[in-house]
Amino acid sequence: MKLKKNIAVSENGFLFDPHSGESYSLNKTAQLIVKLISEGKTEVEIMNSIMKKYDVESSALQRYLDDFIMMLHQMNLLEKEDN
Amino acid sequence: MKKLKFERPVINHINAGVPDKFGRGTTIQAISDIEDIAVEDFLSQYGSPLYVISEKIIRDTYREALSAFKTRYPKVQFAWSYKTNYLNAVCKIFHQEGSWAEVVSGFEYEKAIANGVPGSKIIFNGPDKSKEDLKRAIENGSLIHIDHFDELYDIMNIAPKTGKKAKVAIRVNMDAGIYPHWDRFGFNYENGEAWTAINKIMPNTDMELIGLHTHIGTYIMTPTAYAIAVSKLAALAVRIKIKYDYHLKYLDLGGGFASKNTLKGAYLPGSDTCPSFDDYAKAITDALNNSDIQYDHMPTLFLETGRALIDDAGYLLGTVLANKRLLDGRRSLIIDIGVNNLFTSFWYEHQIVPTKIKQRDTEDTTIYGPLCMNIDIIRAAVQFPLLEKGDQVVIKRIGAYNMTQWLQFITYRPKVVLIDLDGKTHVIRENETHESMNALDKIPDHLKEIQL
Amino acid sequence: MKKLKLTIAVTGLNNTDNPGPGIPVIRGIRDSKEIEARIIGLAYENLEPGIYMPQMLDKTYMIPYPSSGIEAYMERIEEIHKKDPINLIIPNLDAELYTFMKAEPRLKELGIRTFVPTLEQFEERHKANLETYGKKYGIKVPKSMILTGHHDIQKIQDEFEYPVLVKGKFYDAYIAYNPEQVVNHYNKITAKWGLPIIIQEFIKGTEVNVVALGDGKGNTVAAVPMRKLFITDKGKAWSGITLADEEMIRITNHLISKTKWRGGMELEMIKTNKNEYYMIEINPRIPAWVYLAVGAGQNIPEALVKLAMGEKVKPFETYKVGKMFIRYSWDLLGNIDEFEQLSIFGEIEK
């Protein structure tokens, strides 16, 4: 899982995609996940890192994370993965 | 170390034109309880979905409306519009408050009689009255509001056989300066049809013309339209006095007051634009007081307000069945309330809220009902907080028409619960069951056996 | 002379090819020698050009659309007012007026003034009521008729000579030369705006306009007549010139004294070859071309501010004839961080 080039989230939770010219707003949790993705973390590492810090069960988090990553794909913010 | 409260990750596209949040989060206010009873408790005790009706709101609204009129005009009589909500308990509350009954079919007429309304306090409206209906209404001394000439002739024939004088009014339709102009009910004012009908009734010894009725439309936002209607009915009343030296006993202005629900396509929400009872009362009573009707013979003002008296008192409670992403990434929420239980969702943007808000983020959401039908949409697009399966929702202002126009489809209709003035709950209509649904079905002998 | 020190909030910053009056109103206030204003922009969309224009606004706040309801709308105004106390709001868009008229008592309680027409003044001048309005106030208006269904179209020829104007309740107007064209326009307009459709007598002549200000007591404080010289494909003035026309001023004074109009207004009239004037529309707010009036010697925004603040205002008596305005477009440059600031926090300091 890799973010497209030149994509970064500001401290305010504002994400500008220079490829498409689109802008997005992210809440704190979403900002953290995007940061972890940009650091090259795997899904499992992201899950562990969030569960260490926040009060959330892994099954629920898995659901939210799947949904969120699907949205990142939908918004074309992630590199296409070769299966 | 204590862990931090978790919030679901949310990413929203920022539209170049329209800002949807700017850091403010949702303005939707959760409704966790209704008159101090938790929504959760309602649903666990009575099942989901569930209709809840507040007796207090009904009585308060009724009294507010009555006082808006009574303080301006002493002779006022409300008649409860059965078709708006004819659950017996609801009708009885209105009757306890002093409302007569306004019915539009033999079925509603039977309901009113069974609810203990004296025949002479039933107003019988509508284009569909059978000869049997008319005979019974004449015998009971009910007020028959004649819709068309065929009905007028029916009454001329039936009344002599009952040995009683039929008490009648005619329904008048007119140009009250609003659109659409309803010309399919009653006799037209402008083209003289109403006057012709009056001239057939007045000399007839088997009929007594007691009043005049009009119903100018539905969800009327301009009170002045009622003032125009009053002045036209009053003009007819004065003309009757001149020609027949006869005073009418009442003018019935029908219903049509708007509720605070927002019509689809309206720019401003209904809660901002809906006129108050005072606005309607002022327009109507000013027009009456300023009319040429003789001061000593001012008629009673009848009102058949339905929607505006009951809409606010009804709630529909339900449960989230699932979350789904649509093809374009939009969130969709499936709840157990379908359009069959919320018929009014075809013309209102109903206000739907969760029972609790866990985080302030919202997403553009489509809210679907549970029916296997594409038209089953409760809200097509609404900025909505993120809910999960099992979370509960409340839809406000559903008291009018939903419990009469509801459709039985693919599952049983739910219970209706009333909260009384002491905060006690009562089931006022049971949910359907396999037995009650099957009770009317009949199977011919040759279809009884099947073998698969 | 001591200057009036005020914080004034202004809407209608959409200075696009169909411009809102916000920026011209602000220019009038900025030009004033009597008012020292801190000007707050209230914006609905984060790309309203006025937000980004230099020297216009001191600060901008995003606000929700009036369609979100008075509660949500007022909650946001109160939130802004707490941070940044406002003396006066000048709403400049048709769609907001109803909300501001309804919210007037609440705003007053907060110490925020407005200077808008009353609900009655606002409602009775609606397009569909024009004929009644004309009769009530003794002004000439085109004959009109309401269509509520296709079956009414045949009735047009009994009352009108073609061509006629086919109008929607709020927007859109087309000329039709025969019943077939009426059907066409009828379908187009009802699909967009619903019923009713208004059929209006087509008056041949020149369209002329007046920007005016009423003090709410029947006095005309300002009135400047103008003729559009060039019109965009959206029917908006791209250029105009002030006229010496006493009849237009007389009609304006007459209407304001009869209606006791409060606030800014724009009168749209047709002047025929026989020098008759027909009122075709009354807009209940200052128009976007108001800066022409400022340039011609009647600073209407300044006068409106003073009236709202309860100051005495001497009515303007003259204006320069032959003053022109020519609109032009200009590409402002901005950076994504301004857009970010506005989108995430809903406010931006200039």
Side-chain angles (χ1 to χ4, degrees):
Chain A
M1 201 165 35
K2 209 176 146 202
L3 277 181
K4 283 201 173 162
K5 240 192 279 168
N6 293 329
I7 287 183
V9 185
S10 79
E11 277 172 29
N12 305 328
F14 182 83
L15 185 153
F16 175 64
D17 175 1
H19 309 285
S20 65
E22 299 287 358
S23 306
Y24 302 89
S25 68
L26 289 79
N27 70 355
K28 289 282 174 215
T29 317
Q31 286 174 51
L32 175 63
I33 296 172
V34 171
K35 185 169 158 276
L36 293 170
I37 294 174
S38 71
E39 288 167 5
K41 299 277 194 297
T42 64
E43 243 184 270
V44 179
E45 289 168 326
I46 292 172
M47 294 263 301
N48 287 337
S49 156
I50 289 176
M51 283 192 298
K52 214 182 272 171
K53 199 166 161 195
Y54 291 99
D55 181 20
V56 60
E57 280 177 30
S58 86
S59 66
L61 180 59
Q62 184 72 59
R63 250 186 310 132
Y64 302 141
L65 192 60
D66 286 348
D67 181 56
F68 182 68
I69 290 169
M70 203 184 87
M71 287 306 285
L72 294 182
H73 276 298
Q74 173 88 33
M75 291 163 171
N76 249 326
L77 297 171
L78 294 177
E79 293 284 2
K80 290 240 162 29
E81 279 165 55
D82 314 316
N83 293 328
Chain B
M1 193 183 82
K2 197 170 170 270
K3 288 188 181 175
L4 300 171
K5 181 175 171 278
F6 178 77
E7 291 198 340
R8 289 160 72 169
V10 179
I11 178 166
N12 275 309
H13 182 233
I14 297 173
N15 289 321
V18 190
D20 16 40
K21 55 189 296 274
F22 41 92
R24 303 186 57 231
T26 178
T27 51
I28 290 179
Q29 304 279 334
I31 296 180
S32 58
D33 53 57
I34 295 166
E35 296 182 4
D36 295 331
I37 302 170
V39 170
E40 212 178 332
D41 295 345
F42 270 117
L43 294 181
S44 65
Q45 188 175 349
Y46 298 109
S48 179
L50 179 73
Y51 293 92
V52 174
I53 293 176
S54 158
E55 181 174 346
K56 180 172 188 311
I57 296 179
I58 295 180
R59 291 191 191 268
D60 287 353
T61 310
Y62 178 86
R63 286 171 196 176
E64 186 195 334
L66 185 67
S67 117
F69 281 91
K70 276 249 162 146
T71 50
R72 294 177 166 90
Y73 191 83
K75 288 152 81 175
V76 179
Q77 178 61 53
F78 278 81
W80 176 240
S81 157
Y82 265 49
K83 65 178 172 297
T84 312
N85 188 320
Y86 44 58
L87 293 172
N88 291 333
V90 169
C91 295
K92 293 257 193 180
I93 295 172
F94 282 105
H95 297 322
Q96 276 189 353
E97 287 291 330
S99 248
W100 293 14
E102 185 262 325
V103 304
V104 293
S105 66
F107 159 71
E108 288 188 355
Y109 192 96
E110 283 163 14
K111 260 186 157 323
I113 293 283
N115 279 332
V117 181
S120 61
K121 295 189 172 175
I122 298 176
I123 294 172
F124 200 171
N125 278 326
D128 176 17
K129 306 181 191 90
S130 69
K131 288 190 175 150
E132 292 70 39
D133 290 338
L134 287 172
K135 182 163 169 283
R136 178 172 52 186
I138 296 167
E139 283 167 351
N140 287 339
S142 304
L143 304 173
I144 304 171
H145 288 182
I146 304 171
D147 187 70
H148 43 71
F149 280 113
D150 285 335
E151 188 181 323
L152 180 63
Y153 299 132
D154 276 349
I155 296 172
M156 281 182 181
N157 285 328
I158 296 164
K161 294 173 198 152
T162 63
K164 282 203 165 180
K165 247 185 164 183
K167 292 184 174 173
V168 302
I170 57 163
R171 175 158 176 177
V172 181
N173 73 62
M174 60 180 70
D175 176 6
I178 48 161
Y179 314 96
H181 168 189
W182 279 16
D183 60 1
R184 59 177 284 191
F185 303 111
F187 303 89
N188 185 253
Y189 173 82
E190 283 82 10
N191 72 6
E193 197 183 18
W195 185 237
T196 307
I198 289 167
N199 285 316
K200 284 196 190 298
I201 296 168
M202 287 305 295
N204 188 298
T205 50
D206 297 314
M207 279 190 267
E208 189 184 357
L209 186 73
I210 317 262
L212 295 172
H213 171 231
T214 188
H215 184 108
I216 54 175
T218 187
Y219 205 92
I220 309 289
M221 304 284 283
T222 36
T224 48
Y226 286 95
I228 296 172
V230 168
S231 66
K232 291 188 173 172
L233 290 188
L236 283 176
V238 169
R239 212 167 157 192
I240 291 168
K241 166 70 181 83
I242 292 168
K243 180 161 175 180
Y244 296 101
D245 193 24
Y246 176 82
H247 298 285
L248 288 180
K249 297 214 173 47
Y250 69 86
L251 297 183
D252 183 339
L253 268 293
F257 296 172
S259 87
K260 295 193 183 78
N261 266 310
T262 304
L263 286 175
K264 287 190 170 168
Y267 180 69
L268 293 170
S271 50
D272 288 6
T273 54
C274 177
S276 66
F277 286 122
D278 279 318
D279 296 335
Y280 290 117
K282 187 170 185 316
I284 290 172
T285 57
D286 280 359
L288 262 176
N289 288 325
N290 293 331
S291 74
D292 291 334
I293 300 176
Q294 274 182 24
Y295 182 73
D296 293 336
H297 295 277
M298 290 305 277
T300 300
L301 170 65
F302 274 80
L303 294 157
E304 301 166 354
T305 313
R307 183 196 311 279
L309 290 181
I310 187 74
D311 224 7
D312 277 5
Y315 299 84
L316 188 46
L317 319 184
T319 307
V320 174
L321 298 176
N323 268 292
K324 240 182 175 174
R325 288 278 176 198
L326 301 175
L327 258 188
D328 61 0
R330 218 151 25 104
R331 177 177 293 282
S332 80
L333 196 68
I334 306 168
I335 60 175
D336 63 357
I337 298 167
V339 290
N340 57 332
N341 288 326
L342 191 64
F343 206 75
T344 48
S345 59
F346 288 121
W347 53 88
Y348 289 146
E349 300 283 15
H350 273 292
Q351 197 187 349
I352 173 165
V353 300
T355 53
K356 50 179 165 268
I357 291 175
K358 295 172 195 160
Q359 69 189 71
R360 276 158 61 86
D361 302 287
T362 58
E363 278 188 29
D364 187 14
T365 307
T366 302
I367 302 178
Y368 291 115
L371 309 181
C372 296
M373 293 177 76
N374 211 28
I375 56 159
D376 191 22
I377 301 169
I378 300 298
R379 288 297 298 268
V382 58
Q383 281 295 325
F384 207 68
L386 313 177
L387 300 192
E388 292 187 65
K389 182 177 167 67
D391 284 351
Q392 293 163 346
V393 294
V394 176
I395 302 178
K396 278 173 76 175
R397 292 199 183 102
I398 57 92
Y401 292 102
N402 286 305
M403 281 153 266
T404 50
Q405 293 183 331
W406 51 5
L407 301 171
Q408 191 275 322
F409 180 63
I410 68 171
T411 185
Y412 309 116
R413 278 178 288 196
K415 285 187 171 68
V416 183
V417 167
L418 179 83
I419 313 174
D420 72 17
L421 297 177
D422 300 321
K424 277 209 243 37
T425 56
H426 309 261
V427 174
I428 58 169
R429 186 182 164 89
E430 276 296 347
N431 54 294
E432 287 161 345
T433 59
H434 179 72
E435 290 71 38
S436 66
M437 281 311 302
N438 266 358
L440 297 177
D441 272 37
K442 292 209 158 122
I443 300 176
D445 282 342
H446 70 284
L447 295 177
K448 283 194 172 142
E449 293 300 322
I450 61 164
Q451 255 180 345
L452 285 173
Chain C
M1 199 172 103
K2 222 181 128 210
K3 278 195 172 186
L4 254 178
K5 266 188 129 174
L6 296 171
T7 299
I8 302 172
V10 178
T11 68
L13 308 172
N14 48 327
N15 227 42
T16 59
D17 63 342
N18 182 5
I23 290 296
V25 164
I26 293 169
R27 288 182 74 190
I29 298 171
R30 291 279 189 230
D31 282 2
S32 167
K33 292 191 171 61
E34 298 173 46
I35 301 166
E36 187 184 329
R38 170 176 157 73
I39 300 184
I40 290 176
L42 301 176
Y44 296 104
E45 305 198 350
N46 46 22
L47 283 181
E48 290 182 23
I51 304 168
Y52 302 90
M53 289 173 72
Q55 276 114 45
M56 290 292 127
L57 295 162
D58 296 295
K59 173 118 199 191
T60 300
Y61 293 94
M62 304 298 298
I63 56 173
Y65 278 104
S67 57
S68 55
I70 288 181
E71 281 313 313
Y73 198 87
M74 282 303 297
E75 205 180 287
R76 177 62 174 156
I77 299 279
E78 280 173 31
E79 188 185 1
I80 295 166
H81 185 58
K82 242 184 234 160
K83 275 204 279 201
D84 208 344
I86 300 167
N87 298 107
L88 166 68
I89 300 181
I90 307 178
N92 285 310
L93 303 174
D94 290 340
E96 320 164 312
L97 276 173
Y98 185 87
T99 304
F100 274 99
M101 287 182 294
K102 282 265 175 176
E104 200 180 339
R106 263 173 85 174
L107 289 165
K108 209 171 177 180
E109 230 168 77
L110 293 170
I112 302 175
R113 302 198 185 201
T114 52
F115 202 67
V116 292
T118 63
L119 202 52
E120 194 192 342
Q121 291 169 346
F122 177 76
E123 292 289 346
E124 68 177 2
R125 49 98 240 158
H126 273 305
K127 230 189 277 180
N129 306 337
L130 195 60
E131 210 162 332
T132 323
Y133 195 76
K135 248 182 240 148
K136 181 168 173 191
Y137 295 115
I139 48 172
K140 228 180 231 156
V141 298
K143 203 163 89 175
S144 62
M145 146 179 189
I146 304 282
L147 304 186
T148 57
H150 269 125
H151 55 271
D152 287 340
I153 293 173
Q154 279 314 313
K155 295 183 200 155
I156 295 173
Q157 55 205 35
D158 303 340
E159 311 236 352
F160 293 84
E161 268 179 47
Y162 279 98
V164 294
L165 281 170
V166 186
K167 294 185 157 186
K169 189 175 177 194
F170 297 113
Y171 299 102
D172 279 354
Y174 302 98
I175 291 188
Y177 290 89
N178 52 51
E180 289 71 39
Q181 289 181 351
V182 175
V183 173
N184 226 333
H185 299 317
Y186 177 99
N187 291 341
K188 219 181 314 177
I189 297 171
T190 47
K192 238 161 124 185
W193 306 111
L195 286 168
I197 296 292
I198 300 145
I199 295 293
Q200 207 174 68
E201 176 187 7
F202 178 74
I203 310 278
K204 228 176 130 191
T206 315
E207 190 187 325
V208 287
N209 302 284
V210 183
V211 53
L213 177 64
D215 69 354
K217 295 175 191 138
N219 302 306
T220 305
V221 173
V224 177
M226 174 276 274
R227 187 193 144 184
K228 296 173 183 172
L229 293 175
F230 189 78
I231 293 174
T232 67
D233 53 1
K234 285 190 180 157
K236 302 291 155 190
W238 207 248
S239 172
I241 186 162
T242 56
L243 304 173
D245 192 319
E246 282 170 23
E247 182 58 11
M248 286 170 76
I249 300 284
R250 192 197 64 75
I251 294 170
T252 307
N253 287 338
H254 171 78
L255 191 65
I256 288 180
S257 83
K258 287 274 180 186
T259 58
K260 297 199 166 33
W261 188 270
R262 184 174 66 177
M265 74 192 311
E266 181 190 26
L267 303 176
E268 297 184 8
M269 304 180 215
I270 300 283
K271 180 185 178 185
T272 66
N273 295 339
K274 292 183 202 146
N275 284 331
E276 290 173 314
Y277 293 79
Y278 286 85
M279 189 74 69
I280 53 170
E281 214 161 306
I282 296 150
N283 294 317
R285 41 142 189 96
I286 292 176
W289 57 273
V290 66
Y291 197 66
L292 176 69
V294 177
Q298 301 199 1
N299 192 334
I300 290 177
E302 174 191 63
L304 185 143
V305 169
K306 285 166 63 185
L307 284 173
M309 298 316 295
E311 301 270 313
K312 273 227 172 72
V313 180
K314 212 175 130 236
F316 294 104
E317 275 157 11
T318 58
Y319 57 89
K320 280 191 212 103
V321 174
K323 198 80 180 170
M324 282 177 67
F325 79 91
I326 303 105
R327 268 187 198 143
Y328 68 112
S329 56
W330 175 268
D331 295 356
L332 276 171
L333 297 184
N335 288 315
I336 185 85
D337 51 347
E338 282 181 302
F339 185 73
E340 169 181 348
Q341 176 72 23
L342 209 54
S343 303
I344 299 292
F345 297 107
E347 56 181 85
I348 188 165
E349 190 91 36
K350 259 296 182 186

